Amino acid sequence: MIRSRQTATTRHDANVDAARTSALAWSLAALPAINDDAPAATAESRLGHWLALVSRNRQLQLERAARKLRLTSTEWVALRQLHRSGRTTQCRLADDAGITAPSLSRALSSLEELGYVTRQVDQDDLRLVRVDITDAGRALVPRLLDTERRVDRELFGCLEQVARDGLAVALHAVAATHGLDGGRARRIG
C-alpha cells in the first residue's frame, strides 16, 4: 500500500513538472494583443487581478445558468462533486468541493428537497452523515457540465487553441503546486 502511494505521488510529481515545462513552452504569440505600449512587468504584476476578473465573470455566468435550473452555485458545485466522488460523508464532500460545512448543509437540504441527493446517518458511526446522489441528480449533471463547457467556450474562445491549452496547463501546475488539485502542496525550488 505504501509503495503504490509513493509511486502515485512520484507520478503526480512528474506530471506537475511536465505541466510546468509545457506551460512555459506554450506560445505567447497566440494571446490576443491587449496593449502593446504596456510594459511587460505591468501585465505580470496584475496576473492575480486578471485571473480574479475572469474567474468572477465565469462565476456570474454559471450562477445565472444555475438559477435557470432552480439551483444555487453552491448546490451546483456540491452536486457535480458528489457525482464525481460517489457516495461519501458530508464532511468529506465539504472538503472535496471546497464548501464550508454550513453552506454545504443548506445546499444539501435544498438538493434533498429537489430529489437530487439523499442523506443518511451512518449506523456504524452516528457522527457521520452519508450523502449520495439520486438518479435524478445523476441525470442533471450532464446538463451542468454542458453548461460549464459552453460558458468556457464563450469566455476563452477569443484565445487560440494553443493559448487555451497552455493556460489550462499553467493553472493546473499552480493548483498542483499549492495542493489545490487534491494532492499535497509542493515546495518550489
Side-chain angles (χ1 to χ4, degrees), residues 55-79:
S55 179
R56 183 65 185 140
N57 182 275
R58 182 180 188 273
Q59 185 65 28
L60 288 171
Q61 290 184 45
L62 292 176
E63 285 174 5
R64 276 188 230 118
R67 278 194 300 271
K68 290 178 184 175
L69 297 171
R70 295 183 22 210
L71 296 175
T72 66
S73 58
T74 303
E75 293 163 356
W76 180 312
V77 169
L79 191 59

PDB file of all heavy atoms in Angstrom, residues 55-79:
ATOM      1  N   SER A  55     -12.285  34.883 -13.529  1.00  0.00           N
ATOM      2  CA  SER A  55     -12.937  33.898 -12.672  1.00  0.00           C
ATOM      3  C   SER A  55     -14.295  34.407 -12.194  1.00  0.00           C
ATOM      4  O   SER A  55     -15.282  33.664 -12.187  1.00  0.00           O
ATOM      5  CB  SER A  55     -12.037  33.584 -11.477  1.00  0.00           C
ATOM      6  OG  SER A  55     -12.653  32.660 -10.628  1.00  0.00           O
ATOM      7  N   ARG A  56     -14.345  35.664 -11.803  1.00  0.00           N
ATOM      8  CA  ARG A  56     -15.617  36.240 -11.334  1.00  0.00           C
ATOM      9  C   ARG A  56     -16.646  36.295 -12.462  1.00  0.00           C
ATOM     10  O   ARG A  56     -17.819  35.998 -12.252  1.00  0.00           O
ATOM     11  CB  ARG A  56     -15.377  37.640 -10.762  1.00  0.00           C
ATOM     12  CG  ARG A  56     -16.617  38.276 -10.196  1.00  0.00           C
ATOM     13  CD  ARG A  56     -17.124  37.502  -8.987  1.00  0.00           C
ATOM     14  NE  ARG A  56     -18.384  38.070  -8.542  1.00  0.00           N
ATOM     15  CZ  ARG A  56     -19.406  37.353  -8.125  1.00  0.00           C
ATOM     16  NH1 ARG A  56     -19.323  36.051  -8.048  1.00  0.00           N
ATOM     17  NH2 ARG A  56     -20.518  37.936  -7.757  1.00  0.00           N
ATOM     18  N   ASN A  57     -16.210  36.649 -13.667  1.00  0.00           N
ATOM     19  CA  ASN A  57     -17.123  36.676 -14.808  1.00  0.00           C
ATOM     20  C   ASN A  57     -17.684  35.272 -15.075  1.00  0.00           C
ATOM     21  O   ASN A  57     -18.880  35.108 -15.306  1.00  0.00           O
ATOM     22  CB  ASN A  57     -16.405  37.208 -16.044  1.00  0.00           C
ATOM     23  CG  ASN A  57     -17.329  37.282 -17.224  1.00  0.00           C
ATOM     24  OD1 ASN A  57     -17.521  36.290 -17.926  1.00  0.00           O
ATOM     25  ND2 ASN A  57     -17.914  38.444 -17.449  1.00  0.00           N
ATOM     26  N   ARG A  58     -16.817  34.281 -15.030  1.00  0.00           N
ATOM     27  CA  ARG A  58     -17.252  32.887 -15.239  1.00  0.00           C
ATOM     28  C   ARG A  58     -18.252  32.488 -14.161  1.00  0.00           C
ATOM     29  O   ARG A  58     -19.285  31.889 -14.448  1.00  0.00           O
ATOM     30  CB  ARG A  58     -16.045  31.956 -15.221  1.00  0.00           C
ATOM     31  CG  ARG A  58     -16.392  30.502 -15.468  1.00  0.00           C
ATOM     32  CD  ARG A  58     -15.136  29.620 -15.426  1.00  0.00           C
ATOM     33  NE  ARG A  58     -15.419  28.271 -15.841  1.00  0.00           N
ATOM     34  CZ  ARG A  58     -15.841  27.310 -15.021  1.00  0.00           C
ATOM     35  NH1 ARG A  58     -16.010  27.568 -13.744  1.00  0.00           N
ATOM     36  NH2 ARG A  58     -16.084  26.098 -15.488  1.00  0.00           N
ATOM     37  N   GLN A  59     -17.941  32.849 -12.917  1.00  0.00           N
ATOM     38  CA  GLN A  59     -18.825  32.510 -11.808  1.00  0.00           C
ATOM     39  C   GLN A  59     -20.201  33.145 -11.980  1.00  0.00           C
ATOM     40  O   GLN A  59     -21.225  32.501 -11.744  1.00  0.00           O
ATOM     41  CB  GLN A  59     -18.195  32.957 -10.480  1.00  0.00           C
ATOM     42  CG  GLN A  59     -18.969  32.547  -9.255  1.00  0.00           C
ATOM     43  CD  GLN A  59     -19.026  31.047  -9.060  1.00  0.00           C
ATOM     44  OE1 GLN A  59     -18.143  30.315  -9.480  1.00  0.00           O
ATOM     45  NE2 GLN A  59     -20.084  30.574  -8.430  1.00  0.00           N
ATOM     46  N   LEU A  60     -20.254  34.398 -12.405  1.00  0.00           N
ATOM     47  CA  LEU A  60     -21.539  35.072 -12.618  1.00  0.00           C
ATOM     48  C   LEU A  60     -22.353  34.387 -13.711  1.00  0.00           C
ATOM     49  O   LEU A  60     -23.568  34.222 -13.580  1.00  0.00           O
ATOM     50  CB  LEU A  60     -21.314  36.548 -12.962  1.00  0.00           C
ATOM     51  CG  LEU A  60     -20.842  37.433 -11.815  1.00  0.00           C
ATOM     52  CD1 LEU A  60     -20.454  38.811 -12.332  1.00  0.00           C
ATOM     53  CD2 LEU A  60     -21.906  37.533 -10.738  1.00  0.00           C
ATOM     54  N   GLN A  61     -21.691  34.001 -14.795  1.00  0.00           N
ATOM     55  CA  GLN A  61     -22.398  33.302 -15.865  1.00  0.00           C
ATOM     56  C   GLN A  61     -22.944  31.957 -15.392  1.00  0.00           C
ATOM     57  O   GLN A  61     -24.065  31.576 -15.729  1.00  0.00           O
ATOM     58  CB  GLN A  61     -21.478  33.110 -17.069  1.00  0.00           C
ATOM     59  CG  GLN A  61     -21.173  34.400 -17.800  1.00  0.00           C
ATOM     60  CD  GLN A  61     -20.343  34.166 -19.042  1.00  0.00           C
ATOM     61  OE1 GLN A  61     -20.617  33.251 -19.808  1.00  0.00           O
ATOM     62  NE2 GLN A  61     -19.320  34.968 -19.234  1.00  0.00           N
ATOM     63  N   LEU A  62     -22.155  31.240 -14.598  1.00  0.00           N
ATOM     64  CA  LEU A  62     -22.616  29.950 -14.073  1.00  0.00           C
ATOM     65  C   LEU A  62     -23.746  30.131 -13.066  1.00  0.00           C
ATOM     66  O   LEU A  62     -24.679  29.311 -13.029  1.00  0.00           O
ATOM     67  CB  LEU A  62     -21.450  29.181 -13.449  1.00  0.00           C
ATOM     68  CG  LEU A  62     -20.389  28.681 -14.436  1.00  0.00           C
ATOM     69  CD1 LEU A  62     -19.239  28.020 -13.688  1.00  0.00           C
ATOM     70  CD2 LEU A  62     -20.986  27.729 -15.466  1.00  0.00           C
ATOM     71  N   GLU A  63     -23.691  31.195 -12.275  1.00  0.00           N
ATOM     72  CA  GLU A  63     -24.772  31.468 -11.323  1.00  0.00           C
ATOM     73  C   GLU A  63     -26.084  31.741 -12.064  1.00  0.00           C
ATOM     74  O   GLU A  63     -27.146  31.269 -11.642  1.00  0.00           O
ATOM     75  CB  GLU A  63     -24.415  32.644 -10.419  1.00  0.00           C
ATOM     76  CG  GLU A  63     -23.405  32.283  -9.353  1.00  0.00           C
ATOM     77  CD  GLU A  63     -22.925  33.482  -8.542  1.00  0.00           C
ATOM     78  OE1 GLU A  63     -23.439  34.609  -8.738  1.00  0.00           O
ATOM     79  OE2 GLU A  63     -22.017  33.290  -7.724  1.00  0.00           O
ATOM     80  N   ARG A  64     -26.025  32.498 -13.158  1.00  0.00           N
ATOM     81  CA  ARG A  64     -27.227  32.748 -13.967  1.00  0.00           C
ATOM     82  C   ARG A  64     -27.788  31.441 -14.517  1.00  0.00           C
ATOM     83  O   ARG A  64     -28.997  31.211 -14.481  1.00  0.00           O
ATOM     84  CB  ARG A  64     -26.918  33.703 -15.117  1.00  0.00           C
ATOM     85  CG  ARG A  64     -26.977  35.141 -14.709  1.00  0.00           C
ATOM     86  CD  ARG A  64     -26.850  36.069 -15.909  1.00  0.00           C
ATOM     87  NE  ARG A  64     -25.820  37.024 -15.547  1.00  0.00           N
ATOM     88  CZ  ARG A  64     -24.666  37.204 -16.167  1.00  0.00           C
ATOM     89  NH1 ARG A  64     -24.383  36.551 -17.255  1.00  0.00           N
ATOM     90  NH2 ARG A  64     -23.797  38.064 -15.732  1.00  0.00           N
ATOM     91  N   ALA A  65     -26.906  30.588 -15.022  1.00  0.00           N
ATOM     92  CA  ALA A  65     -27.335  29.301 -15.562  1.00  0.00           C
ATOM     93  C   ALA A  65     -27.921  28.424 -14.458  1.00  0.00           C
ATOM     94  O   ALA A  65     -28.925  27.723 -14.682  1.00  0.00           O
ATOM     95  CB  ALA A  65     -26.163  28.596 -16.241  1.00  0.00           C
ATOM     96  N   ALA A  66     -27.331  28.456 -13.277  1.00  0.00           N
ATOM     97  CA  ALA A  66     -27.824  27.647 -12.155  1.00  0.00           C
ATOM     98  C   ALA A  66     -29.238  28.083 -11.752  1.00  0.00           C
ATOM     99  O   ALA A  66     -30.097  27.235 -11.482  1.00  0.00           O
ATOM    100  CB  ALA A  66     -26.871  27.769 -10.962  1.00  0.00           C
ATOM    101  N   ARG A  67     -29.477  29.395 -11.730  1.00  0.00           N
ATOM    102  CA  ARG A  67     -30.811  29.892 -11.375  1.00  0.00           C
ATOM    103  C   ARG A  67     -31.878  29.365 -12.316  1.00  0.00           C
ATOM    104  O   ARG A  67     -33.001  29.081 -11.898  1.00  0.00           O
ATOM    105  CB  ARG A  67     -30.824  31.418 -11.347  1.00  0.00           C
ATOM    106  CG  ARG A  67     -30.283  31.994 -10.053  1.00  0.00           C
ATOM    107  CD  ARG A  67     -30.622  33.472  -9.892  1.00  0.00           C
ATOM    108  NE  ARG A  67     -30.072  34.295 -10.957  1.00  0.00           N
ATOM    109  CZ  ARG A  67     -28.864  34.854 -10.933  1.00  0.00           C
ATOM    110  NH1 ARG A  67     -28.084  34.670  -9.897  1.00  0.00           N
ATOM    111  NH2 ARG A  67     -28.446  35.602 -11.924  1.00  0.00           N
ATOM    112  N   LYS A  68     -31.538  29.219 -13.596  1.00  0.00           N
ATOM    113  CA  LYS A  68     -32.496  28.679 -14.567  1.00  0.00           C
ATOM    114  C   LYS A  68     -32.866  27.237 -14.242  1.00  0.00           C
ATOM    115  O   LYS A  68     -33.936  26.771 -14.610  1.00  0.00           O
ATOM    116  CB  LYS A  68     -31.927  28.760 -15.981  1.00  0.00           C
ATOM    117  CG  LYS A  68     -31.822  30.168 -16.505  1.00  0.00           C
ATOM    118  CD  LYS A  68     -31.218  30.200 -17.891  1.00  0.00           C
ATOM    119  CE  LYS A  68     -31.018  31.620 -18.359  1.00  0.00           C
ATOM    120  NZ  LYS A  68     -30.321  31.697 -19.643  1.00  0.00           N
ATOM    121  N   LEU A  69     -31.954  26.541 -13.546  1.00  0.00           N
ATOM    122  CA  LEU A  69     -32.208  25.152 -13.161  1.00  0.00           C
ATOM    123  C   LEU A  69     -32.709  25.049 -11.714  1.00  0.00           C
ATOM    124  O   LEU A  69     -32.774  23.962 -11.154  1.00  0.00           O
ATOM    125  CB  LEU A  69     -30.925  24.330 -13.306  1.00  0.00           C
ATOM    126  CG  LEU A  69     -30.372  24.210 -14.720  1.00  0.00           C
ATOM    127  CD1 LEU A  69     -28.990  23.568 -14.708  1.00  0.00           C
ATOM    128  CD2 LEU A  69     -31.333  23.415 -15.593  1.00  0.00           C
ATOM    129  N   ARG A  70     -33.052  26.219 -11.108  1.00  0.00           N
ATOM    130  CA  ARG A  70     -33.508  26.295  -9.721  1.00  0.00           C
ATOM    131  C   ARG A  70     -32.442  25.829  -8.736  1.00  0.00           C
ATOM    132  O   ARG A  70     -32.740  25.208  -7.724  1.00  0.00           O
ATOM    133  CB  ARG A  70     -34.799  25.493  -9.529  1.00  0.00           C
ATOM    134  CG  ARG A  70     -35.977  26.008 -10.283  1.00  0.00           C
ATOM    135  CD  ARG A  70     -37.247  25.267 -10.053  1.00  0.00           C
ATOM    136  NE  ARG A  70     -37.267  24.524  -8.779  1.00  0.00           N
ATOM    137  CZ  ARG A  70     -37.951  23.403  -8.594  1.00  0.00           C
ATOM    138  NH1 ARG A  70     -38.661  22.905  -9.568  1.00  0.00           N
ATOM    139  NH2 ARG A  70     -37.941  22.790  -7.433  1.00  0.00           N
ATOM    140  N   LEU A  71     -31.179  26.116  -9.047  1.00  0.00           N
ATOM    141  CA  LEU A  71     -30.064  25.762  -8.174  1.00  0.00           C
ATOM    142  C   LEU A  71     -29.264  27.010  -7.820  1.00  0.00           C
ATOM    143  O   LEU A  71     -29.257  27.972  -8.574  1.00  0.00           O
ATOM    144  CB  LEU A  71     -29.110  24.788  -8.881  1.00  0.00           C
ATOM    145  CG  LEU A  71     -29.621  23.416  -9.276  1.00  0.00           C
ATOM    146  CD1 LEU A  71     -28.559  22.674 -10.074  1.00  0.00           C
ATOM    147  CD2 LEU A  71     -30.030  22.614  -8.061  1.00  0.00           C
ATOM    148  N   THR A  72     -28.575  26.943  -6.700  1.00  0.00           N
ATOM    149  CA  THR A  72     -27.571  27.957  -6.391  1.00  0.00           C
ATOM    150  C   THR A  72     -26.236  27.435  -6.917  1.00  0.00           C
ATOM    151  O   THR A  72     -26.097  26.240  -7.209  1.00  0.00           O
ATOM    152  CB  THR A  72     -27.447  28.195  -4.869  1.00  0.00           C
ATOM    153  OG1 THR A  72     -26.924  27.007  -4.259  1.00  0.00           O
ATOM    154  CG2 THR A  72     -28.789  28.573  -4.252  1.00  0.00           C
ATOM    155  N   SER A  73     -25.249  28.304  -7.002  1.00  0.00           N
ATOM    156  CA  SER A  73     -23.942  27.845  -7.468  1.00  0.00           C
ATOM    157  C   SER A  73     -23.329  26.855  -6.475  1.00  0.00           C
ATOM    158  O   SER A  73     -22.628  25.923  -6.870  1.00  0.00           O
ATOM    159  CB  SER A  73     -23.006  29.024  -7.725  1.00  0.00           C
ATOM    160  OG  SER A  73     -22.840  29.792  -6.570  1.00  0.00           O
ATOM    161  N   THR A  74     -23.613  27.010  -5.190  1.00  0.00           N
ATOM    162  CA  THR A  74     -23.108  26.073  -4.183  1.00  0.00           C
ATOM    163  C   THR A  74     -23.732  24.696  -4.387  1.00  0.00           C
ATOM    164  O   THR A  74     -23.047  23.664  -4.300  1.00  0.00           O
ATOM    165  CB  THR A  74     -23.401  26.593  -2.756  1.00  0.00           C
ATOM    166  OG1 THR A  74     -22.813  27.876  -2.614  1.00  0.00           O
ATOM    167  CG2 THR A  74     -22.861  25.653  -1.707  1.00  0.00           C
ATOM    168  N   GLU A  75     -25.024  24.657  -4.663  1.00  0.00           N
ATOM    169  CA  GLU A  75     -25.696  23.379  -4.937  1.00  0.00           C
ATOM    170  C   GLU A  75     -25.116  22.736  -6.197  1.00  0.00           C
ATOM    171  O   GLU A  75     -24.913  21.521  -6.247  1.00  0.00           O
ATOM    172  CB  GLU A  75     -27.203  23.602  -5.098  1.00  0.00           C
ATOM    173  CG  GLU A  75     -27.876  24.024  -3.815  1.00  0.00           C
ATOM    174  CD  GLU A  75     -29.243  24.644  -4.013  1.00  0.00           C
ATOM    175  OE1 GLU A  75     -29.690  24.834  -5.172  1.00  0.00           O
ATOM    176  OE2 GLU A  75     -29.884  24.963  -3.000  1.00  0.00           O
ATOM    177  N   TRP A  76     -24.845  23.557  -7.206  1.00  0.00           N
ATOM    178  CA  TRP A  76     -24.260  23.086  -8.456  1.00  0.00           C
ATOM    179  C   TRP A  76     -22.923  22.391  -8.189  1.00  0.00           C
ATOM    180  O   TRP A  76     -22.684  21.280  -8.627  1.00  0.00           O
ATOM    181  CB  TRP A  76     -24.086  24.279  -9.367  1.00  0.00           C
ATOM    182  CG  TRP A  76     -23.495  24.078 -10.717  1.00  0.00           C
ATOM    183  CD1 TRP A  76     -22.358  23.390 -11.045  1.00  0.00           C
ATOM    184  CD2 TRP A  76     -23.994  24.587 -11.942  1.00  0.00           C
ATOM    185  NE1 TRP A  76     -22.121  23.463 -12.385  1.00  0.00           N
ATOM    186  CE2 TRP A  76     -23.110  24.185 -12.961  1.00  0.00           C
ATOM    187  CE3 TRP A  76     -25.087  25.363 -12.279  1.00  0.00           C
ATOM    188  CZ2 TRP A  76     -23.306  24.526 -14.297  1.00  0.00           C
ATOM    189  CZ3 TRP A  76     -25.273  25.709 -13.603  1.00  0.00           C
ATOM    190  CH2 TRP A  76     -24.394  25.291 -14.594  1.00  0.00           C
ATOM    191  N   VAL A  77     -22.049  23.087  -7.451  1.00  0.00           N
ATOM    192  CA  VAL A  77     -20.715  22.556  -7.154  1.00  0.00           C
ATOM    193  C   VAL A  77     -20.821  21.278  -6.324  1.00  0.00           C
ATOM    194  O   VAL A  77     -20.125  20.287  -6.585  1.00  0.00           O
ATOM    195  CB  VAL A  77     -19.856  23.617  -6.434  1.00  0.00           C
ATOM    196  CG1 VAL A  77     -18.574  23.016  -5.890  1.00  0.00           C
ATOM    197  CG2 VAL A  77     -19.551  24.775  -7.375  1.00  0.00           C
ATOM    198  N   ALA A  78     -21.699  21.271  -5.334  1.00  0.00           N
ATOM    199  CA  ALA A  78     -21.867  20.091  -4.481  1.00  0.00           C
ATOM    200  C   ALA A  78     -22.364  18.894  -5.297  1.00  0.00           C
ATOM    201  O   ALA A  78     -21.850  17.777  -5.144  1.00  0.00           O
ATOM    202  CB  ALA A  78     -22.837  20.397  -3.347  1.00  0.00           C
ATOM    203  N   LEU A  79     -23.331  19.117  -6.155  1.00  0.00           N
ATOM    204  CA  LEU A  79     -23.888  18.030  -6.965  1.00  0.00           C
ATOM    205  C   LEU A  79     -22.849  17.490  -7.941  1.00  0.00           C
ATOM    206  O   LEU A  79     -22.700  16.267  -8.096  1.00  0.00           O
ATOM    207  CB  LEU A  79     -25.126  18.536  -7.720  1.00  0.00           C
ATOM    208  CG  LEU A  79     -25.982  17.480  -8.408  1.00  0.00           C
ATOM    209  CD1 LEU A  79     -26.497  16.467  -7.402  1.00  0.00           C
ATOM    210  CD2 LEU A  79     -27.148  18.147  -9.123  1.00  0.00           C
TER     211      LEU A  79
END
